[in-house]
């Protein structure tokens, strides 16, 4: 039986539990899993910007899923896997609604 495994990890509060420093034990655990051919995937609500890109490469992640699942990047193949861009008409309606409700909203593409 050929079973494949993967570890999906959030960043804030998981890889960086108390500071913006990766705990040495976390690095060791990730490396041990990778030595057993277990794929390592970063899954974060953060956009795929410099910090997530750096961390993904630093941890030798196979894939980074970012923007709450709206974007995925294959770091081994160095290519975008999936991108769901918010339609500008929908974004404008959401913005108007947030103004009417006196709330805040944020999105990126």
């Amino acid at each position: 039986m050929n079973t494949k495994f993967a570890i999906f990890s959030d960043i804030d509060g998981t890889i960086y539990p108390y500071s913006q420093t990766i705990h040495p034990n976390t690095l060791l655990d990730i490396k041990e899993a990778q030595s057993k051919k277990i794929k390592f995937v970063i899954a974060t609500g953060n956009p795929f910007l410099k910090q997530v890109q750096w961390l993904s490469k630093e941890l030798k992640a196979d894939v980074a899923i970012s923007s709450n699942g709206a974007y995925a990047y294959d770091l081994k193949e160095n290519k975008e896997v999936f991108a769901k861009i918010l339609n500008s008409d929908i974004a404008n309606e959401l913005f108007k609604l947030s103004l009417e409700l006196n709330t805040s909203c944020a999105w990126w593409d």
Side-chain angles (χ1 to χ4, degrees), residues 65-105:
I65 300 170
S66 63
S67 302
N68 289 322
Y71 186 80
Y73 193 84
D74 185 326
L75 291 131
K76 300 300 180 189
E77 297 292 324
N78 200 29
K79 67 179 184 178
E80 184 179 275
V81 175
F82 175 83
K84 181 64 177 170
I85 298 173
L86 187 62
N87 175 297
S88 62
D89 292 335
I90 294 171
N92 287 331
E93 289 300 316
L94 291 171
F95 182 68
K96 287 178 192 175
L97 180 61
S98 73
L99 289 175
E100 289 172 18
L101 297 173
N102 196 29
T103 63
S104 61
C105 62

